[in-house]
Amino acid sequence: MEEKNLRILITGGAGFFGINVIRHLLKKGFRSLTSLDIAAFDYPEKKDITVVTGDIRDRETVDRLVSQADVVIHAAAALPRCTVEEIRSTDVGGTRHLLEAGMRHETKRFVFISSTAVY
């Protein structure tokens, strides 16, 4: 499969890292991009990608989207203002869902992006 035709899922696509990854990939000519985020995607790039409003803690949503992707770029995380349980269930449980789905569907590449907010 030609590189530019890769189907790429970006979790946390409405966040700081996610939108910047999307913008970079669009500039490089990638066209099959899907953003998965619990927050609304209110950017001009909305018309150029597939936007799914959802939660990485939802196994069914994660499994469906990962099964349709060649590459997963995981940039979703709970914000520091969230409760400890929300942070744990999102950052640990949600990441686990993504990794398990990636293994099940033999995802070609899985990229994890994080920030100092995890500390």
Side-chain angles (χ1 to χ4, degrees), residues 49-69:
I49 68 169
T50 300
V51 175
V52 177
T53 303
D55 194 324
I56 62 170
R57 295 173 290 185
D58 178 352
R59 285 182 194 258
E60 291 179 16
T61 298
V62 165
D63 195 67
R64 177 175 50 84
L65 294 175
V66 171
S67 75
Q68 299 168 7

Side-chain angles (χ1 to χ4, degrees), residues 12-86:
F16 178 78
F17 286 128
I19 187 56
N20 283 294
V21 166
I22 288 169
R23 288 174 175 157
H24 175 77
L25 292 171
L26 287 171
K27 284 181 189 172
K28 293 291 185 180
F30 290 88
R31 292 294 171 241
S32 186
L33 306 178
T34 299
S35 166
L36 170 62
D37 203 308
I38 200 167
F41 190 93
D42 295 326
Y43 298 101
E45 293 81 5
K46 187 174 190 170
K47 66 184 180 351
D48 299 321
I49 68 169
T50 300
V51 175
V52 177
T53 303
D55 194 324
I56 62 170
R57 295 173 290 185
D58 178 352
R59 285 182 194 258
E60 291 179 16
T61 298
V62 165
D63 195 67
R64 177 175 50 84
L65 294 175
V66 171
S67 75
Q68 299 168 7
D70 301 306
V71 175
V72 174
I73 300 175
H74 176 35
L79 298 173
R81 69 176 179 259
C82 292
T83 67
V84 170
E85 178 50 38
E86 288 172 315

